[in-house]
Amino acid sequence: MQRTHRCGDLRATDAGSTVTVMGWVNRRRDHGNLIFIDLRDRSGISQIVFDKERNPEMHSRVEAVRNEYVLAVTGRVERRSEGTINPKMETGEVEVISTELRVLNESRVPPFAPGDANLNVNEEVRLKYRYLDLRRPEMHANIEMRHRVTLAIRNYLAGEGFYEIETPILTRSTPEGARDYLVPSRVHPGEFYALPQSPQIFKQILMIGGMDRYFQIARCFRDEDLRADRQPEFTQIDLELAFPTEKTIHDVVEGFLDAAFTAAGVTIERPFPQMPYDEAIRLYGIDKPDLRLPAMTEVKDFFPADAWETLQVDTALPVVAIRTPKVGELSRKERDDHKGLLNEKQAKVIKYFDDIKRLEKTWPEAIAKVRQACGAEEGDLLIIVAAPKKETATDTTDARRLHRAATAVYSQAGLLRLALAQKYAARHKVFDEKQYKFLWVTDFPSFEWDEGANRWTFAHHPFTSIHEEHAGLLAEGVKALNDPDSALGAIRARAYDVVLNGTELGSGSIRIHQQEVQAKIFEALGMDEAEQKLRFGFFLEALQYGTPPHGGIALGLDRIVMILAGAANLREVIPFPKTAAATDLMMEAPTPVTDAQLKELSIGVRK
RNA sequence: GGGGUCGUAGUUCAGUUGGUUAGAACGCCGCCCUGUCACGGCGGAGGCCGCGAGUUCGAGUCUCGUCGACCCCGCCA
């Protein structure tokens, strides 16, 4: 038997023709002498009719057929009579009157029915029986969208002159950044490969190799704890190109995102707005602003100085208003609940005033200005956030220190802004509407102070160019490596993130292509010459052989598809995802291995 | 590493202050049914209450430990 049609494709225009369809039994309705079977394949569902009068032998065989049996059915497509048409089904105008039935395979009773329209089953069960879960139309839709998005990106980039190039999966461990997944070498006892956290060095080497434009739908591995939007192995759209400006790269990314979203049936606006990191912090308190919600507004100057004295606010630091739209009147309890939105650490950095009406009694003019500056409308919630006054006044003479303190206020206020948005999401409904607000965040700090390690570390990765005019700061900064207020903190990188609705989709930069600059950066990170040579010797050498200026970016494919699918976690758009404990419930991975395997790898396991 | 929620029939859940025979719905099995499409009717089977200790005359229920799922913090250049 040869399949002639797919189940979901039959239409009234097929009436009269004889077809053969194959698929799974979605549901069976047994009326005794008349049996209906909904047959399902990837394309959809068709109703097959088995009539005892017309074919008693076949009818008796179909009585034994159960859910998820795999059938091949030949029959005549007939237009359904008036009153039996099912408008809820794509194929509901027709049905197949079966003339031949072959049971291609039987099925045990499944732990859950993939054909159940309102499936309510624990994810643990879904993951264990992933093959059944994948039969569900919802999963088909997500996987299909992922395919379409990926294909659109491939086609777009190929059209822009990018080569798709594979890079090694077995590579070298780099101790900085995320924890590596390690693979023992049999040939070199005691030595290990690492799975790539990203193809970063390889793609830069490809540029040095004159490949001009590279991309890869690349699998990356990071041995860190999981989140709803983080898997230990994930897929990046990774690209790099020679002789770029920031604009070249932004145009390419916007181009393929446009193609990808179009493939998913979504129109997006271009060009994406841009915002320097420092402005993002000042307006949103975070480096990945969600533009669906209003920014914070500086309101300190609207109040007379004595107001801040009364309210016990530190006037050296910012005072901002947070507006949450369309919240309406708050009950006493709801207002009390705001306290719970701050953790202990946050409460040290900021205090808030959420009873605007009370403030208004004392400072009516100030509050009027606040409302106007925020663009507040009736029903919007306004909360004023400031730093609590401390025993010793904040030092305003040290600009870098002051900046650090102000940044802490902005970021804690930003977290409160998001917590409020989340708390009142059901009321403002901003998150319900299908809107896609893209943003480029640019000019990230090159270095950030690591409190724990008490040293400077890179904010993006150590191959990121700094702005040329900050070369002096770098020279100054390397002389004060142990000072959190060193000049290093003021250096801005030629780095950019693409952000969508408060989610970081991707991150990239113009790379360093001069060996001396690269060595200087390593030095700023506390690596002496010997250590540089040990860890990146080959790369520093490569940079000396005519490296072209180059830059690139990597975007999380899983996250893009997740957002397009409206899914709450990545597992919905990954066919075989891992659990929060990084296990595979279907394969039951990881597993112990035999002593013989370990011996061959010169590995002993500590009990 | 830390915090939270959850774990009872194949599935999703209920289970009172610790009390006698642990329930419901869907699914499953049998019989009936020629126009259903979440078909319907009648009947039936199905339980290591995650696992292990403890408290108690008595534990699904209380305590401790442990395993697993999910979410968050740390972590993720």
Side-chain angles (χ1 to χ4, degrees):
Chain A
M1 268 170 125
Q2 174 81 41
R3 178 164 79 166
T4 64
H5 289 70
R6 300 193 309 168
C7 296
D9 293 343
L10 298 180
R11 291 293 181 276
T13 48
D14 295 307
S17 57
T18 295
V19 301
T20 299
V21 289
M22 302 187 183
W24 288 261
V25 175
N26 196 60
R27 211 185 289 276
R28 188 180 77 111
R29 288 176 296 280
D30 187 346
H31 288 238
N33 291 328
L34 184 68
I35 294 175
F36 299 100
I37 280 184
D38 289 341
L39 202 64
R40 177 190 73 236
D41 63 22
R42 196 180 79 184
S43 65
I45 291 172
S46 264
Q47 173 166 284
I48 320 290
V49 184
F50 297 87
D51 191 330
K52 194 172 188 176
E53 258 176 34
R54 298 200 214 191
N55 195 335
E57 184 274 333
M58 191 173 62
H59 179 272
S60 73
R61 278 193 297 132
V62 85
E63 279 186 317
V65 164
R66 293 293 182 268
N67 281 350
E68 300 309 312
Y69 275 35
V70 186
L71 305 183
V73 173
T74 300
R76 216 176 62 252
V77 179
E78 284 188 5
R79 211 181 266 269
R80 295 200 199 177
S81 66
E82 198 71 28
T84 66
I85 288 171
N86 185 350
K88 283 185 279 186
M89 286 175 76
E90 301 265 358
T91 59
E93 278 188 80
V94 293
E95 59 194 4
V96 178
I97 311 300
S98 173
T99 53
E100 198 182 340
L101 166 71
R102 210 173 281 180
V103 175
L104 300 177
N105 217 336
E106 300 181 355
S107 170
R108 292 173 56 183
V109 176
F112 61 91
D116 193 341
N118 30 10
L119 180 76
N120 179 19
V121 59
N122 203 299
E123 199 171 355
E124 210 170 335
V125 180
R126 288 178 53 200
L127 288 176
K128 181 170 179 197
Y129 299 94
R130 192 57 157 178
Y131 38 88
L132 297 177
D133 193 38
L134 288 169
R135 284 183 197 166
R136 296 167 47 232
E138 291 81 2
M139 290 306 285
H140 278 279
N142 289 353
I143 299 301
E144 187 202 348
M145 182 192 293
R146 187 177 178 126
H147 161 71
R148 283 205 315 261
V149 164
T150 310
L151 190 63
I153 292 169
R154 274 210 166 88
N155 288 338
Y156 181 85
L157 291 175
E160 293 295 311
F162 286 81
Y163 290 168
E164 183 169 11
I165 305 174
E166 290 173 279
T167 53
I169 293 294
L170 293 176
T171 177
R172 179 196 165 101
S173 175
T174 50
E176 52 279 305
R179 207 173 286 120
D180 283 321
Y181 276 100
L182 296 177
V183 179
S185 163
R186 173 182 56 82
V187 183
H188 303 278
E191 297 187 15
F192 295 81
Y193 300 96
L195 305 182
Q197 295 179 26
S198 81
Q200 183 61 36
I201 299 251
F202 287 113
K203 66 175 175 174
Q204 290 192 242
I205 298 280
L206 286 170
M207 293 304 101
I208 300 175
M211 287 296 159
D212 201 81
R213 290 186 161 205
Y214 140 92
F215 87 99
Q216 181 178 194
I217 310 292
R219 199 66 70 84
C220 304
F221 307 85
R222 294 179 189 173
D223 186 6
E224 296 293 343
D225 288 339
L226 278 64
R227 286 288 187 285
D229 61 352
R230 262 163 38 191
Q231 282 273 310
E233 59 177 303
F234 57 98
T235 305
Q236 287 195 335
I237 304 146
D238 191 49
L239 64 88
E240 194 81 6
L241 54 103
F243 312 114
T245 63
E246 276 87 340
K247 187 175 186 308
T248 326
I249 293 167
H250 293 180
D251 285 348
V252 166
V253 171
E254 291 184 19
F256 82 65
L257 282 175
D258 195 356
F261 276 63
T262 301
V266 174
T267 308
I268 63 175
E269 274 178 45
R270 288 177 63 187
F272 303 166
Q274 300 202 12
M275 186 182 298
Y277 169 87
D278 290 313
E279 192 181 333
I281 295 296
R282 194 157 46 77
L283 292 177
Y284 297 91
I286 197 164
D287 61 359
K288 42 180 182 180
D290 189 337
L291 296 188
R292 293 175 298 178
L293 293 156
M296 305 190 291
T297 309
E298 177 59 58
V299 298
K300 189 164 43 183
D301 294 342
F302 298 156
F303 288 78
D306 67 305
W308 302 128
E309 187 58 40
T310 312
L311 297 170
Q312 289 291 293
V313 159
D314 187 341
T315 51
L317 295 174
V319 179
V320 296
I322 297 170
R323 177 167 74 91
T324 313
K326 297 182 182 131
V327 168
E329 281 298 309
L330 291 186
S331 68
R332 173 68 193 271
K333 185 182 176 304
E334 283 170 323
R335 211 178 285 284
D336 284 348
D337 285 346
H338 291 162
K339 290 194 193 101
L341 298 177
L342 292 186
N343 64 31
E344 259 176 69
K345 207 171 122 197
Q346 285 179 286
K348 279 186 193 150
V349 179
I350 56 169
K351 64 197 291 190
Y352 66 84
F353 307 96
D354 61 353
D355 197 342
I356 293 293
K357 283 186 178 155
R358 209 160 114 193
L359 295 180
E360 197 167 25
K361 280 180 191 153
T362 319
W363 299 285
E365 286 169 28
I367 295 298
K369 283 182 198 160
V370 170
R371 286 194 209 277
Q372 200 195 353
C374 294
E377 292 176 20
E378 190 66 33
D380 291 359
L381 172 64
L382 279 182
I383 288 186
I384 292 176
V385 179
K389 199 178 175 77
K390 289 178 209 69
E391 306 244 326
T392 50
T394 301
D395 182 2
T396 53
T397 57
D398 186 333
R400 284 177 194 148
R401 235 160 148 170
L402 190 63
H403 182 261
R404 269 213 303 159
T407 299
V409 174
Y410 285 131
S411 55
Q412 294 309 327
L415 290 178
L416 181 61
R417 168 180 173 268
L418 290 178
L420 287 166
Q422 208 63 56
K423 180 172 163 63
Y424 296 112
R427 299 201 197 166
H428 60 65
K429 295 200 167 62
V430 167
F431 297 156
D432 295 353
E433 297 163 38
K434 285 252 170 198
Q435 44 175 339
Y436 298 92
K437 299 266 192 182
F438 285 95
L439 173 71
W440 287 106
V441 178
T442 63
D443 306 308
F444 278 77
S446 290
F447 302 94
E448 57 191 30
W449 181 252
D450 184 335
E451 289 287 348
N454 219 39
R455 64 180 181 91
W456 287 94
T457 175
F458 32 82
H460 184 58
H461 60 56
F463 314 109
T464 305
S465 284
I466 64 169
H467 281 287
E468 232 165 276
E469 62 269 28
H470 291 172
L473 291 171
L474 180 59
E476 186 192 330
V478 292
K479 291 177 196 147
L481 291 183
N482 298 315
D483 177 7
D485 297 313
S486 136
L488 292 178
I491 297 173
R492 291 295 174 266
R494 294 180 69 184
Y496 32 80
D497 277 8
V498 58
V499 173
L500 169 58
N501 293 352
T503 298
E504 181 204 313
L505 286 188
S507 192
S509 65
I510 304 295
R511 322 298 184 189
I512 296 164
H513 66 281
Q514 289 152 309
Q515 192 265 347
E516 320 82 67
V517 181
Q518 185 66 71
K520 197 64 144 183
I521 296 284
F522 285 147
E523 194 186 330
L525 295 166
M527 263 186 256
D528 62 26
E529 215 170 305
E531 196 181 347
Q532 291 180 28
K533 201 171 170 192
L534 186 72
R535 275 154 72 169
F536 296 106
F538 75 99
F539 187 61
L540 287 169
E541 189 179 5
L543 285 174
Q544 296 173 62
Y545 287 96
T547 298
H550 60 287
I553 194 167
L555 278 78
L557 176 66
D558 313 88
R559 283 189 187 175
I560 292 171
V561 178
M562 174 175 117
I563 290 170
L564 282 170
N569 67 66
L570 286 181
R571 296 182 298 277
E572 299 298 326
V573 297
I574 298 175
F576 304 106
K578 304 260 188 302
T579 67
T583 63
D584 182 326
L585 292 180
M586 184 187 71
M587 298 280 284
E588 297 182 311
T591 59
V593 295
T594 64
D595 287 343
Q597 282 175 292
L598 289 175
K599 195 177 168 200
E600 197 165 40
L601 296 167
S602 313
I603 288 180
V605 174
R606 207 185 293 156
K607 302 282 183 217

